[in-house]
Amino acid sequence: MKVLVTDPIADAGLERLRDTGFDVQTAYEADGDDLLEAVAGADALVVRSGTEVTREVFEAAPDLAIVGRAGIGVDNIDIDAATDHGVIVANAPEGNVRAAAEHTVALAFAAARSVPQAHARLRDGEWAKGEFLGAELDGKTLGVVGLGRVGQEVARRLGAFGMDLVAYDPYIGEERAEQLGAELVEFDECVERADFLTVHVPLTDETAGLIGESELREMAGGYVVNVARGGVVDEDALAEAADDGTLAGAALDVFEEEPLPADSPLLDAENVIVTPHLGASTRAAQEHVATATADQVVAALHEEPVVNALNAPSVEESAFDRIRPYVDLAETAGKVAAQLFDGRVERIDVRYEGDVAEENVELVTASAQQGVFAPLEWNVNAVNAPRVAEERGIEVTESKTRQSEDFQSLVSVTVGDSENDLTVSGTLYAGDDPRLVKIDGYRVDAIPHGHMLAARNRDEPGVIGFVGTVLGDAGVNIAGMFNARETIGGEALTVYNLDEPVPEDALEELLADDRITDVRSIELNGE
């Protein structure tokens, strides 16, 4: 498998990919048409912030399974396009958390004590001892915008210096904030109360220009530090607020345009410190993000869970072995249900009973949807199945119950329209041996594999023999058979495992017998 790396990463990450046996190719200068040509045959793409992964890139790479971002920010990757093409996007949020937090703390102290400005003056021969009156952090209020991984690390570190902590983050609970010693407040209050404001949010439509002219006025006499993403802080407004004395100081490591243009007003503001996107630039951080990204590429190409997938269901590695068999089982149940259902699929319900109901089954549910859509010849996998369902107006529900009457665990996939539905239920024998145990209410014990035939017929003598004769005459060997019936003399359902697919004329011959009410071929496992 080919892994294309278009931005430099630490050698440790490249070595991990090569050790797995992948064909690792680097194209650090690739852009435009060169990038499209280079990615054409790639199974995985590894980038940092330098490569723009656009919709055109995904269209040029039909085999692409994953884009690994060696770092946190993914604003250079079109995630919607990735999802449309069934490509996982995964980042490495843990690898540079410590480095980014430490750089934030360093810039906060540097801004408070004018360290680089005093250093520059001294290098120029000036002993400007009386010109720099700094601020102490002890007793001041730190406002943290975004209490995620980096924000939490910054809060811990600066809280240890005696700062009072307030934080704004609509996606974190009060209990977690309290554990960090922070008071969770609304955005406006966080800005208003902060003596030092640190920013730790991604660049999105919601956060672009989040810290602008009005917010900076509320911070009169305070300091702003941004080691997150450029564009979150309005740079022109910041430069003006720093230059006219509204702010006591500021420090930025990220910018709307990188490298920072020579005519940026930030460079003319004496009390603004700028560094060239160094937040993740430590040896340890670079190795961590490289190896973490490599691990996720390996997982994706081996069809294992991707821990930090941003657009696909993920599962903790420790839990994957427990749910792995159910992923395939749910996909199979979905395939069988879709091939047996007569109507247009308007809704899908995935139900979990027994032990499996205790697990994180997001990936299992996505796989069930993938299975339902597969016979419809839609280009769907577990990455884009939920989106396909949403776009096509298909209602998807998931339910769980710890109780299960007959099985330790049971997964049921129901497909239906406004009037009818059909359910296929499966379980695992001996840990990972799949069985279909119920089809449309009939209790069966079918092995889901390869070519199958489901026949509904009146429960009369000779019907199964007739089916066997027709299949034999067509050169189709029966590998297994599983029979169920409603009542004696009522309707029966028989599932056959076959060594070959059933020819169309044999299906017509079966349906021509008035004892047989329905016959469906089922194809599984790509055979």
mmCIF file of all heavy atoms in Angstrom, residues 434-479:
data_model
loop_
_atom_site.group_PDB
_atom_site.id
_atom_site.type_symbol
_atom_site.label_atom_id
_atom_site.label_comp_id
_atom_site.label_asym_id
_atom_site.label_seq_id
_atom_site.Cartn_x
_atom_site.Cartn_y
_atom_site.Cartn_z
ATOM 1 N N PRO A 434 -20.096 -15.839 13.781
ATOM 2 C CA PRO A 434 -21.377 -15.157 13.566
ATOM 3 C C PRO A 434 -22.480 -16.114 13.118
ATOM 4 O O PRO A 434 -22.245 -17.066 12.375
ATOM 5 C CB PRO A 434 -21.046 -14.150 12.467
ATOM 6 C CG PRO A 434 -19.930 -14.783 11.704
ATOM 7 C CD PRO A 434 -19.125 -15.534 12.725
ATOM 8 N N ARG A 435 -23.694 -15.814 13.563
ATOM 9 C CA ARG A 435 -24.877 -16.545 13.138
ATOM 10 C C ARG A 435 -26.030 -15.554 12.951
ATOM 11 O O ARG A 435 -26.198 -14.630 13.756
ATOM 12 C CB ARG A 435 -25.313 -17.575 14.183
ATOM 13 C CG ARG A 435 -24.393 -18.769 14.297
ATOM 14 C CD ARG A 435 -24.492 -19.685 13.078
ATOM 15 N NE ARG A 435 -23.838 -20.956 13.333
ATOM 16 C CZ ARG A 435 -22.523 -21.153 13.209
ATOM 17 N NH1 ARG A 435 -21.751 -20.151 12.859
ATOM 18 N NH2 ARG A 435 -22.011 -22.354 13.448
ATOM 19 N N LEU A 436 -26.814 -15.790 11.916
ATOM 20 C CA LEU A 436 -28.083 -15.092 11.779
ATOM 21 C C LEU A 436 -29.132 -15.965 12.451
ATOM 22 O O LEU A 436 -29.346 -17.113 12.030
ATOM 23 C CB LEU A 436 -28.428 -14.874 10.304
ATOM 24 C CG LEU A 436 -27.442 -14.012 9.514
ATOM 25 C CD1 LEU A 436 -27.925 -13.834 8.080
ATOM 26 C CD2 LEU A 436 -27.215 -12.657 10.173
ATOM 27 N N VAL A 437 -29.758 -15.439 13.496
ATOM 28 C CA VAL A 437 -30.646 -16.278 14.309
ATOM 29 C C VAL A 437 -32.122 -15.936 14.130
ATOM 30 O O VAL A 437 -32.980 -16.720 14.526
ATOM 31 C CB VAL A 437 -30.255 -16.199 15.799
ATOM 32 C CG1 VAL A 437 -28.880 -16.824 16.015
ATOM 33 C CG2 VAL A 437 -30.267 -14.762 16.302
ATOM 34 N N LYS A 438 -32.421 -14.794 13.543
ATOM 35 C CA LYS A 438 -33.806 -14.443 13.257
ATOM 36 C C LYS A 438 -33.858 -13.662 11.955
ATOM 37 O O LYS A 438 -33.078 -12.727 11.744
ATOM 38 C CB LYS A 438 -34.412 -13.590 14.376
ATOM 39 C CG LYS A 438 -34.663 -14.330 15.682
ATOM 40 C CD LYS A 438 -35.328 -13.389 16.691
ATOM 41 C CE LYS A 438 -35.540 -14.091 18.029
ATOM 42 N NZ LYS A 438 -36.156 -13.179 19.038
ATOM 43 N N ILE A 439 -34.767 -14.069 11.077
ATOM 44 C CA ILE A 439 -35.000 -13.341 9.834
ATOM 45 C C ILE A 439 -36.493 -13.121 9.697
ATOM 46 O O ILE A 439 -37.259 -14.088 9.581
ATOM 47 C CB ILE A 439 -34.447 -14.101 8.611
ATOM 48 C CG1 ILE A 439 -32.922 -14.239 8.707
ATOM 49 C CG2 ILE A 439 -34.828 -13.381 7.315
ATOM 50 C CD1 ILE A 439 -32.298 -15.013 7.552
ATOM 51 N N ASP A 440 -36.915 -11.874 9.751
ATOM 52 C CA ASP A 440 -38.319 -11.504 9.621
ATOM 53 C C ASP A 440 -39.202 -12.306 10.579
ATOM 54 O O ASP A 440 -40.303 -12.751 10.209
ATOM 55 C CB ASP A 440 -38.777 -11.702 8.175
ATOM 56 C CG ASP A 440 -40.027 -10.880 7.851
ATOM 57 O OD1 ASP A 440 -40.285 -9.887 8.568
ATOM 58 O OD2 ASP A 440 -40.740 -11.244 6.907
ATOM 59 N N GLY A 441 -38.706 -12.510 11.791
ATOM 60 C CA GLY A 441 -39.480 -13.205 12.808
ATOM 61 C C GLY A 441 -39.284 -14.700 12.851
ATOM 62 O O GLY A 441 -39.715 -15.362 13.808
ATOM 63 N N TYR A 442 -38.630 -15.282 11.857
ATOM 64 C CA TYR A 442 -38.387 -16.723 11.833
ATOM 65 C C TYR A 442 -37.089 -17.034 12.573
ATOM 66 O O TYR A 442 -36.055 -16.413 12.331
ATOM 67 C CB TYR A 442 -38.272 -17.241 10.397
ATOM 68 C CG TYR A 442 -39.569 -17.231 9.639
ATOM 69 C CD1 TYR A 442 -39.929 -16.131 8.865
ATOM 70 C CD2 TYR A 442 -40.429 -18.320 9.697
ATOM 71 C CE1 TYR A 442 -41.124 -16.117 8.163
ATOM 72 C CE2 TYR A 442 -41.628 -18.319 8.994
ATOM 73 C CZ TYR A 442 -41.973 -17.217 8.229
ATOM 74 O OH TYR A 442 -43.153 -17.207 7.544
ATOM 75 N N ARG A 443 -37.127 -17.999 13.448
ATOM 76 C CA ARG A 443 -35.933 -18.429 14.198
ATOM 77 C C ARG A 443 -35.119 -19.373 13.335
ATOM 78 O O ARG A 443 -35.564 -20.469 12.979
ATOM 79 C CB ARG A 443 -36.363 -19.135 15.487
ATOM 80 C CG ARG A 443 -35.212 -19.682 16.319
ATOM 81 C CD ARG A 443 -34.405 -18.557 16.950
ATOM 82 N NE ARG A 443 -33.487 -19.075 17.942
ATOM 83 C CZ ARG A 443 -32.249 -19.525 17.687
ATOM 84 N NH1 ARG A 443 -31.790 -19.513 16.444
ATOM 85 N NH2 ARG A 443 -31.484 -19.966 18.654
ATOM 86 N N VAL A 444 -33.938 -18.919 12.933
ATOM 87 C CA VAL A 444 -33.047 -19.735 12.105
ATOM 88 C C VAL A 444 -31.701 -19.827 12.796
ATOM 89 O O VAL A 444 -31.495 -19.299 13.889
ATOM 90 C CB VAL A 444 -32.892 -19.137 10.687
ATOM 91 C CG1 VAL A 444 -34.204 -19.161 9.953
ATOM 92 C CG2 VAL A 444 -32.338 -17.718 10.752
ATOM 93 N N ASP A 445 -30.777 -20.505 12.166
ATOM 94 C CA ASP A 445 -29.420 -20.609 12.701
ATOM 95 C C ASP A 445 -28.459 -20.642 11.519
ATOM 96 O O ASP A 445 -27.741 -21.613 11.298
ATOM 97 C CB ASP A 445 -29.286 -21.879 13.549
ATOM 98 C CG ASP A 445 -27.958 -21.945 14.288
ATOM 99 O OD1 ASP A 445 -27.328 -20.879 14.444
ATOM 100 O OD2 ASP A 445 -27.549 -23.051 14.668
ATOM 101 N N ALA A 446 -28.481 -19.553 10.731
ATOM 102 C CA ALA A 446 -27.801 -19.531 9.439
ATOM 103 C C ALA A 446 -26.395 -18.956 9.549
ATOM 104 O O ALA A 446 -26.150 -17.993 10.276
ATOM 105 C CB ALA A 446 -28.618 -18.712 8.450
ATOM 106 N N ILE A 447 -25.488 -19.558 8.808
ATOM 107 C CA ILE A 447 -24.114 -19.060 8.736
ATOM 108 C C ILE A 447 -24.056 -18.008 7.628
ATOM 109 O O ILE A 447 -24.305 -18.329 6.459
ATOM 110 C CB ILE A 447 -23.123 -20.199 8.432
ATOM 111 C CG1 ILE A 447 -23.175 -21.250 9.552
ATOM 112 C CG2 ILE A 447 -21.715 -19.655 8.263
ATOM 113 C CD1 ILE A 447 -22.361 -22.497 9.259
ATOM 114 N N PRO A 448 -23.757 -16.774 7.954
ATOM 115 C CA PRO A 448 -23.753 -15.718 6.925
ATOM 116 C C PRO A 448 -22.444 -15.707 6.152
ATOM 117 O O PRO A 448 -21.423 -15.208 6.623
ATOM 118 C CB PRO A 448 -23.924 -14.436 7.754
ATOM 119 C CG PRO A 448 -23.297 -14.755 9.074
ATOM 120 C CD PRO A 448 -23.505 -16.228 9.298
ATOM 121 N N HIS A 449 -22.487 -16.257 4.947
ATOM 122 C CA HIS A 449 -21.243 -16.325 4.177
ATOM 123 C C HIS A 449 -21.550 -16.561 2.708
ATOM 124 O O HIS A 449 -22.430 -17.353 2.358
ATOM 125 C CB HIS A 449 -20.357 -17.464 4.691
ATOM 126 C CG HIS A 449 -19.047 -17.556 3.970
ATOM 127 N ND1 HIS A 449 -18.016 -16.670 4.175
ATOM 128 C CD2 HIS A 449 -18.615 -18.427 3.024
ATOM 129 C CE1 HIS A 449 -16.993 -16.998 3.402
ATOM 130 N NE2 HIS A 449 -17.327 -18.053 2.689
ATOM 131 N N GLY A 450 -20.822 -15.870 1.851
ATOM 132 C CA GLY A 450 -20.825 -16.158 0.424
ATOM 133 C C GLY A 450 -22.178 -16.030 -0.232
ATOM 134 O O GLY A 450 -22.905 -15.056 -0.080
ATOM 135 N N HIS A 451 -22.561 -17.081 -1.019
ATOM 136 C CA HIS A 451 -23.823 -17.098 -1.748
ATOM 137 C C HIS A 451 -24.876 -17.763 -0.879
ATOM 138 O O HIS A 451 -24.681 -18.853 -0.353
ATOM 139 C CB HIS A 451 -23.666 -17.880 -3.051
ATOM 140 C CG HIS A 451 -22.470 -17.481 -3.854
ATOM 141 N ND1 HIS A 451 -22.374 -16.269 -4.495
ATOM 142 C CD2 HIS A 451 -21.306 -18.137 -4.096
ATOM 143 C CE1 HIS A 451 -21.209 -16.196 -5.115
ATOM 144 N NE2 HIS A 451 -20.544 -17.316 -4.882
ATOM 145 N N MET A 452 -26.037 -17.107 -0.762
ATOM 146 C CA MET A 452 -27.119 -17.652 0.048
ATOM 147 C C MET A 452 -28.430 -17.511 -0.709
ATOM 148 O O MET A 452 -28.553 -16.709 -1.645
ATOM 149 C CB MET A 452 -27.202 -16.908 1.387
ATOM 150 C CG MET A 452 -25.932 -16.969 2.212
ATOM 151 S SD MET A 452 -26.022 -16.000 3.747
ATOM 152 C CE MET A 452 -27.180 -16.981 4.698
ATOM 153 N N LEU A 453 -29.386 -18.313 -0.308
ATOM 154 C CA LEU A 453 -30.715 -18.262 -0.882
ATOM 155 C C LEU A 453 -31.721 -18.318 0.256
ATOM 156 O O LEU A 453 -31.621 -19.177 1.134
ATOM 157 C CB LEU A 453 -30.943 -19.444 -1.825
ATOM 158 C CG LEU A 453 -32.292 -19.478 -2.566
ATOM 159 C CD1 LEU A 453 -32.286 -18.451 -3.694
ATOM 160 C CD2 LEU A 453 -32.572 -20.881 -3.120
ATOM 161 N N ALA A 454 -32.673 -17.395 0.264
ATOM 162 C CA ALA A 454 -33.748 -17.407 1.252
ATOM 163 C C ALA A 454 -35.054 -17.706 0.524
ATOM 164 O O ALA A 454 -35.435 -16.974 -0.402
ATOM 165 C CB ALA A 454 -33.822 -16.075 1.982
ATOM 166 N N ALA A 455 -35.717 -18.792 0.918
ATOM 167 C CA ALA A 455 -36.954 -19.210 0.253
ATOM 168 C C ALA A 455 -38.095 -19.267 1.260
ATOM 169 O O ALA A 455 -37.960 -19.865 2.330
ATOM 170 C CB ALA A 455 -36.755 -20.572 -0.404
ATOM 171 N N ARG A 456 -39.215 -18.653 0.920
ATOM 172 C CA ARG A 456 -40.449 -18.760 1.715
ATOM 173 C C ARG A 456 -41.380 -19.736 0.981
ATOM 174 O O ARG A 456 -41.561 -19.626 -0.235
ATOM 175 C CB ARG A 456 -41.127 -17.402 1.867
ATOM 176 C CG ARG A 456 -40.335 -16.372 2.656
ATOM 177 C CD ARG A 456 -41.097 -15.054 2.647
ATOM 178 N NE ARG A 456 -40.326 -13.954 3.178
ATOM 179 C CZ ARG A 456 -40.414 -13.491 4.419
ATOM 180 N NH1 ARG A 456 -41.244 -14.064 5.267
ATOM 181 N NH2 ARG A 456 -39.688 -12.472 4.816
ATOM 182 N N ASN A 457 -41.968 -20.641 1.721
ATOM 183 C CA ASN A 457 -42.838 -21.629 1.089
ATOM 184 C C ASN A 457 -43.870 -22.148 2.082
ATOM 185 O O ASN A 457 -43.737 -21.956 3.296
ATOM 186 C CB ASN A 457 -42.019 -22.804 0.553
ATOM 187 C CG ASN A 457 -41.162 -23.446 1.628
ATOM 188 O OD1 ASN A 457 -40.010 -23.032 1.828
ATOM 189 N ND2 ASN A 457 -41.698 -24.437 2.332
ATOM 190 N N ARG A 458 -44.900 -22.807 1.559
ATOM 191 C CA ARG A 458 -45.849 -23.468 2.431
ATOM 192 C C ARG A 458 -45.155 -24.659 3.068
ATOM 193 O O ARG A 458 -44.350 -25.349 2.417
ATOM 194 C CB ARG A 458 -47.078 -23.921 1.639
ATOM 195 C CG ARG A 458 -47.898 -22.757 1.087
ATOM 196 C CD ARG A 458 -49.328 -23.193 0.785
ATOM 197 N NE ARG A 458 -49.366 -24.306 -0.169
ATOM 198 C CZ ARG A 458 -49.473 -24.149 -1.491
ATOM 199 N NH1 ARG A 458 -49.511 -22.929 -2.009
ATOM 200 N NH2 ARG A 458 -49.543 -25.205 -2.278
ATOM 201 N N ASP A 459 -45.468 -24.892 4.331
ATOM 202 C CA ASP A 459 -44.827 -25.984 5.065
ATOM 203 C C ASP A 459 -45.488 -27.307 4.655
ATOM 204 O O ASP A 459 -46.385 -27.811 5.330
ATOM 205 C CB ASP A 459 -44.958 -25.733 6.577
ATOM 206 C CG ASP A 459 -44.271 -26.815 7.392
ATOM 207 O OD1 ASP A 459 -43.242 -27.337 6.915
ATOM 208 O OD2 ASP A 459 -44.765 -27.122 8.499
ATOM 209 N N GLU A 460 -45.022 -27.842 3.525
ATOM 210 C CA GLU A 460 -45.578 -29.083 2.994
ATOM 211 C C GLU A 460 -44.453 -30.049 2.654
ATOM 212 O O GLU A 460 -43.334 -29.622 2.322
ATOM 213 C CB GLU A 460 -46.404 -28.805 1.724
ATOM 214 C CG GLU A 460 -47.617 -27.925 1.948
ATOM 215 C CD GLU A 460 -48.373 -27.678 0.658
ATOM 216 O OE1 GLU A 460 -47.991 -28.279 -0.376
ATOM 217 O OE2 GLU A 460 -49.334 -26.882 0.684
ATOM 218 N N PRO A 461 -44.726 -31.352 2.689
ATOM 219 C CA PRO A 461 -43.702 -32.338 2.317
ATOM 220 C C PRO A 461 -43.252 -32.146 0.866
ATOM 221 O O PRO A 461 -44.046 -31.827 -0.018
ATOM 222 C CB PRO A 461 -44.425 -33.680 2.498
ATOM 223 C CG PRO A 461 -45.539 -33.398 3.443
ATOM 224 C CD PRO A 461 -45.968 -31.998 3.161
ATOM 225 N N GLY A 462 -41.953 -32.329 0.651
ATOM 226 C CA GLY A 462 -41.419 -32.317 -0.700
ATOM 227 C C GLY A 462 -40.904 -30.991 -1.196
ATOM 228 O O GLY A 462 -40.234 -30.937 -2.242
ATOM 229 N N VAL A 463 -41.192 -29.912 -0.477
ATOM 230 C CA VAL A 463 -40.777 -28.595 -0.980
ATOM 231 C C VAL A 463 -39.252 -28.453 -0.953
ATOM 232 O O VAL A 463 -38.628 -28.026 -1.930
ATOM 233 C CB VAL A 463 -41.435 -27.466 -0.173
ATOM 234 C CG1 VAL A 463 -40.923 -26.109 -0.659
ATOM 235 C CG2 VAL A 463 -42.942 -27.522 -0.307
ATOM 236 N N ILE A 464 -38.652 -28.832 0.162
ATOM 237 C CA ILE A 464 -37.194 -28.702 0.264
ATOM 238 C C ILE A 464 -36.513 -29.611 -0.759
ATOM 239 O O ILE A 464 -35.512 -29.236 -1.388
ATOM 240 C CB ILE A 464 -36.735 -29.030 1.702
ATOM 241 C CG1 ILE A 464 -37.216 -27.925 2.655
ATOM 242 C CG2 ILE A 464 -35.215 -29.161 1.768
ATOM 243 C CD1 ILE A 464 -36.886 -28.186 4.118
ATOM 244 N N GLY A 465 -37.085 -30.799 -0.967
ATOM 245 C CA GLY A 465 -36.523 -31.688 -1.983
ATOM 246 C C GLY A 465 -36.611 -31.082 -3.367
ATOM 247 O O GLY A 465 -35.684 -31.208 -4.177
ATOM 248 N N PHE A 466 -37.735 -30.422 -3.637
ATOM 249 C CA PHE A 466 -37.899 -29.765 -4.937
ATOM 250 C C PHE A 466 -36.837 -28.679 -5.132
ATOM 251 O O PHE A 466 -36.226 -28.567 -6.200
ATOM 252 C CB PHE A 466 -39.300 -29.171 -5.037
ATOM 253 C CG PHE A 466 -39.503 -28.271 -6.221
ATOM 254 C CD1 PHE A 466 -39.536 -28.779 -7.508
ATOM 255 C CD2 PHE A 466 -39.635 -26.892 -6.045
ATOM 256 C CE1 PHE A 466 -39.715 -27.933 -8.604
ATOM 257 C CE2 PHE A 466 -39.804 -26.049 -7.132
ATOM 258 C CZ PHE A 466 -39.852 -26.576 -8.413
ATOM 259 N N VAL A 467 -36.633 -27.868 -4.090
ATOM 260 C CA VAL A 467 -35.624 -26.813 -4.178
ATOM 261 C C VAL A 467 -34.249 -27.430 -4.451
ATOM 262 O O VAL A 467 -33.482 -26.955 -5.294
ATOM 263 C CB VAL A 467 -35.597 -25.958 -2.892
ATOM 264 C CG1 VAL A 467 -34.417 -24.987 -2.918
ATOM 265 C CG2 VAL A 467 -36.900 -25.208 -2.723
ATOM 266 N N GLY A 468 -33.920 -28.507 -3.724
ATOM 267 C CA GLY A 468 -32.633 -29.160 -3.928
ATOM 268 C C GLY A 468 -32.470 -29.686 -5.334
ATOM 269 O O GLY A 468 -31.381 -29.610 -5.925
ATOM 270 N N THR A 469 -33.553 -30.222 -5.906
ATOM 271 C CA THR A 469 -33.491 -30.754 -7.267
ATOM 272 C C THR A 469 -33.234 -29.643 -8.283
ATOM 273 O O THR A 469 -32.394 -29.781 -9.184
ATOM 274 C CB THR A 469 -34.802 -31.471 -7.607
ATOM 275 O OG1 THR A 469 -34.980 -32.581 -6.713
ATOM 276 C CG2 THR A 469 -34.778 -31.990 -9.048
ATOM 277 N N VAL A 470 -33.972 -28.538 -8.131
ATOM 278 C CA VAL A 470 -33.787 -27.414 -9.058
ATOM 279 C C VAL A 470 -32.370 -26.876 -8.986
ATOM 280 O O VAL A 470 -31.723 -26.625 -10.014
ATOM 281 C CB VAL A 470 -34.813 -26.301 -8.775
ATOM 282 C CG1 VAL A 470 -34.507 -25.054 -9.613
ATOM 283 C CG2 VAL A 470 -36.227 -26.792 -9.064
ATOM 284 N N LEU A 471 -31.868 -26.709 -7.774
ATOM 285 C CA LEU A 471 -30.505 -26.196 -7.616
ATOM 286 C C LEU A 471 -29.488 -27.185 -8.174
ATOM 287 O O LEU A 471 -28.505 -26.801 -8.819
ATOM 288 C CB LEU A 471 -30.213 -25.904 -6.135
ATOM 289 C CG LEU A 471 -31.022 -24.758 -5.504
ATOM 290 C CD1 LEU A 471 -30.673 -24.615 -4.024
ATOM 291 C CD2 LEU A 471 -30.781 -23.445 -6.231
ATOM 292 N N GLY A 472 -29.712 -28.479 -7.917
ATOM 293 C CA GLY A 472 -28.798 -29.487 -8.446
ATOM 294 C C GLY A 472 -28.765 -29.495 -9.953
ATOM 295 O O GLY A 472 -27.696 -29.594 -10.573
ATOM 296 N N ASP A 473 -29.960 -29.394 -10.573
ATOM 297 C CA ASP A 473 -30.012 -29.355 -12.034
ATOM 298 C C ASP A 473 -29.290 -28.131 -12.589
ATOM 299 O O ASP A 473 -28.778 -28.158 -13.713
ATOM 300 C CB ASP A 473 -31.471 -29.350 -12.494
ATOM 301 C CG ASP A 473 -32.175 -30.679 -12.232
ATOM 302 O OD1 ASP A 473 -31.460 -31.684 -11.991
ATOM 303 O OD2 ASP A 473 -33.426 -30.701 -12.253
ATOM 304 N N ALA A 474 -29.255 -27.060 -11.786
ATOM 305 C CA ALA A 474 -28.569 -25.833 -12.224
ATOM 306 C C ALA A 474 -27.078 -25.856 -11.896
ATOM 307 O O ALA A 474 -26.362 -24.887 -12.183
ATOM 308 C CB ALA A 474 -29.222 -24.611 -11.572
ATOM 309 N N GLY A 475 -26.603 -26.948 -11.310
ATOM 310 C CA GLY A 475 -25.189 -27.071 -10.976
ATOM 311 C C GLY A 475 -24.780 -26.300 -9.740
ATOM 312 O O GLY A 475 -23.612 -25.972 -9.564
ATOM 313 N N VAL A 476 -25.769 -26.023 -8.871
ATOM 314 C CA VAL A 476 -25.492 -25.266 -7.647
ATOM 315 C C VAL A 476 -25.492 -26.230 -6.465
ATOM 316 O O VAL A 476 -26.517 -26.892 -6.191
ATOM 317 C CB VAL A 476 -26.537 -24.153 -7.424
ATOM 318 C CG1 VAL A 476 -26.265 -23.431 -6.103
ATOM 319 C CG2 VAL A 476 -26.521 -23.169 -8.584
ATOM 320 N N ASN A 477 -24.379 -26.320 -5.755
ATOM 321 C CA ASN A 477 -24.265 -27.236 -4.619
ATOM 322 C C ASN A 477 -24.706 -26.556 -3.334
ATOM 323 O O ASN A 477 -24.364 -25.402 -3.065
ATOM 324 C CB ASN A 477 -22.823 -27.716 -4.471
ATOM 325 C CG ASN A 477 -22.691 -28.796 -3.410
ATOM 326 O OD1 ASN A 477 -23.379 -29.826 -3.475
ATOM 327 N ND2 ASN A 477 -21.829 -28.565 -2.433
ATOM 328 N N ILE A 478 -25.485 -27.264 -2.526
ATOM 329 C CA ILE A 478 -25.938 -26.748 -1.231
ATOM 330 C C ILE A 478 -24.904 -27.111 -0.170
ATOM 331 O O ILE A 478 -24.619 -28.289 0.056
ATOM 332 C CB ILE A 478 -27.312 -27.340 -0.857
ATOM 333 C CG1 ILE A 478 -28.364 -26.917 -1.892
ATOM 334 C CG2 ILE A 478 -27.728 -26.865 0.540
ATOM 335 C CD1 ILE A 478 -29.728 -27.550 -1.678
ATOM 336 N N ALA A 479 -24.348 -26.094 0.486
ATOM 337 C CA ALA A 479 -23.343 -26.325 1.528
ATOM 338 C C ALA A 479 -23.967 -26.420 2.906
ATOM 339 O O ALA A 479 -23.380 -27.009 3.820
ATOM 340 C CB ALA A 479 -22.314 -25.202 1.502
#
